[in-house]
């Protein structure tokens, strides 16, 4: 009974307000507020779990495999990607919706990742299952024993979210070791080997390489070459291997050939001749706490 009285009073108030608005010229058509009350409503709730994280180290044995999925104009670059090989094996085990791949740095598609491997995190979205360590070991074995042997994995494990920050902090402090096959325009001499090997904590200046200027800001960065060691190649004095340890973010290809003077000093300027890089491998990635 009280509700009926309230509704009648409310309707009289609305009619009076409408007449007043019409007289003032401010009335506009609008939906009756009571229609909203009596219209049926649909409540939709979507639930998803927090992402879960896995860590490990990966190896890349092919010079035709990119780190992440690389598609240009609907055409795949390379034979496969580290991201897809690892993620494609972990995602089904988690019954998740999707995954994101994060690595401590990256290497070019034509550069192998050897040695102790590169640290990575795999983030699985809306996982409905957390695989056991036994399952993760089986995933490792499946990847490592694949017929093509493009990619390898080790130390795959489930981790907490705090490890994400730890990896980012370690990445900023990391050192990387390489083995580069180099060609020079004159025969390598013994004094060249001694000169290169004696250089410690060499400071170099690198402008953003020409090959990546289309996607990176034009900056000049100081980087450190911690040490270098020359390994001669029997039968051809124009070729040699140089093993080197550098600060994170050093462009090794440009350090060898100089990038038209954009990297100084370079291997070519140190030896006083033309130098070209033939092949490059990453042989170790040392994080801040390793």
């Amino acid at each position: 009974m009280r509700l009926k009285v309230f509704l009648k009073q409310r309707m009289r108030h609305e009619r009076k307000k409408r007449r007043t608005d019409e007289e003032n010229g401010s009335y506009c058509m609008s939906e009756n507020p009571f229609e909203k009350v009596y219209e049926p409503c649909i409540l939709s709730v979507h639930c998803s779990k927090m992402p879960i994280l896995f860590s490990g180290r990966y190896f890349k044995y092919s010079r035709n495999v990119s780190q992440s999925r690389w598609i240009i104009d609907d055409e795949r670059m390379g034979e496969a990607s580290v991201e897809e090989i690892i993620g494609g094996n972990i995602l089904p085990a988690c019954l998740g919706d999707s995954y994101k791949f994060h690595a401590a740095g990256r290497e070019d598609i034509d550069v192998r990742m050897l040695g102790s491997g590169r640290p990575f995190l795999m983030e699985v979205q809306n996982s409905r299952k957390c695989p056991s360590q036994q399952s993760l070991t089986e995933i490792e074995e499946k990847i490592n024993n694949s017929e093509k042997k493009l990619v390898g994995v080790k130390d795959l494990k489930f981790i907490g979210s705090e490890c994400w920050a730890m990896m980012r902090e370690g990445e900023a402090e990391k050192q990387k070791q390489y083995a580069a096959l180099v060609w020079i325009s004159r025969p390598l001499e013994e004094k060249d080997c001694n000169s290169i090997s004696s250089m410690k904590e060499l400071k170099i200046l690198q402008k953003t390489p020409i090959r990546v200027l289309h996607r990176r800001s034009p900056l000049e960065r100081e980087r450190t070459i911690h040490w270098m060691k020359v390994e001669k190649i029997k039968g051809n004095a124009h070729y040699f291997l140089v093993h080197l340890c550098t600060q994170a973010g050093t462009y090794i290809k440009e350090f060898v050939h100089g990038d038209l003077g954009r990297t100084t000093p370079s291997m070519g300027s140190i030896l006083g001749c033309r130098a070209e890089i033939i092949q490059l491998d990453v042989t170790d990635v040392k994080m801040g706490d390793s």
Side-chain angles (χ1 to χ4, degrees), residues 19-33:
R19 284 197 301 269
T20 303
D21 289 342
E22 287 173 347
E23 291 170 2
N24 295 334
S26 61
Y27 173 73
C28 63
M29 295 297 292
S30 63
E31 288 187 84
N32 189 323

Side-chain angles (χ1 to χ4, degrees), residues 23-264:
E23 291 170 2
N24 295 334
S26 61
Y27 173 73
C28 63
M29 295 297 292
S30 63
E31 288 187 84
N32 189 323
F34 294 107
E35 291 179 357
K36 294 182 179 179
V37 175
Y38 296 108
E39 286 180 356
C41 298
I42 298 175
L43 178 62
S44 178
V45 179
H46 299 276
C47 298
S48 61
K49 293 183 178 180
M50 291 291 290
I52 61 174
L53 294 171
F54 300 90
S55 71
R57 284 181 175 250
Y58 77 80
F59 307 88
K60 185 161 79 72
Y61 304 122
S62 169
R63 299 192 189 277
N64 194 33
V65 170
S66 57
Q67 185 189 75
S68 55
R69 186 171 180 266
W70 190 7
I71 306 292
I72 299 178
D73 296 330
D74 296 325
E75 183 179 350
R76 172 182 288 277
M77 300 293 109
E79 186 175 354
S81 72
V82 176
E83 173 188 34
E84 291 169 295
I85 291 173
I86 299 177
N89 281 278
I90 291 180
L91 187 64
C94 296
L95 302 179
D97 290 345
S98 60
Y99 61 82
K100 293 182 181 179
F101 181 78
H102 312 275
R106 62 187 304 115
E107 67 282 327
D108 292 338
I109 189 171
D110 61 342
V111 176
R112 295 187 300 177
M113 179 66 239
L114 306 176
S116 59
R118 186 184 296 279
F120 72 88
L121 293 180
M122 182 64 71
E123 179 183 354
V124 178
Q125 309 291 328
N126 197 25
S127 172
R128 297 164 184 83
K129 179 183 177 183
C130 185
S132 65
Q133 187 57 50
Q134 177 61 34
S135 296
L136 295 178
T137 301
E138 291 171 1
I139 290 172
E140 271 191 28
E141 292 173 353
K142 182 180 177 182
I143 294 173
N144 294 338
N145 296 328
S146 64
E147 186 177 346
K148 291 188 176 181
K149 295 192 180 298
L150 302 175
V151 170
V153 179
K154 76 171 186 176
D155 300 335
L156 188 60
K157 60 186 176 181
F158 172 76
I159 59 169
S161 58
E162 67 278 359
C163 291
W164 171 259
M166 290 171 58
M167 190 179 85
R168 284 303 183 198
E169 290 171 6
E171 182 182 358
E173 304 171 11
K174 73 178 184 292
Q175 296 181 359
K176 297 168 71 176
Q177 294 182 19
Y178 299 87
L181 177 61
V182 177
W183 171 90
I184 57 175
S185 57
R186 63 168 177 79
L188 183 73
E189 301 176 7
E190 190 62 36
K191 64 178 182 179
D192 298 323
C193 301
N194 296 333
S195 175
I196 292 171
S197 299
S198 67
M199 292 182 176
K200 309 293 182 185
E201 305 303 320
L202 174 67
K203 301 294 183 183
I204 65 173
L205 286 177
Q206 292 194 305
K207 293 181 180 178
T208 302
I210 294 172
R211 64 188 170 93
V212 298
L213 264 178
H214 64 286
R215 55 187 170 90
R216 294 190 181 171
S217 302
L219 302 173
E220 185 174 77
R221 305 167 181 84
E222 183 182 78
R223 293 291 183 260
T224 302
I225 309 294
H226 298 295
W227 53 260
M228 292 183 284
K229 180 183 176 183
V230 174
E231 181 181 341
K232 294 180 180 179
I233 293 179
K234 213 169 190 181
N236 196 324
H238 287 270
Y239 292 86
F240 64 92
L241 277 173
V242 58
H243 302 271
L244 60 167
C245 177
T246 75
Q247 180 184 355
T250 305
Y251 292 103
I252 305 303
K253 293 177 179 178
E254 283 67 27
F255 171 64
V256 172
H257 58 64
D259 200 27
L260 301 178
R262 296 173 66 83
T263 290
T264 55

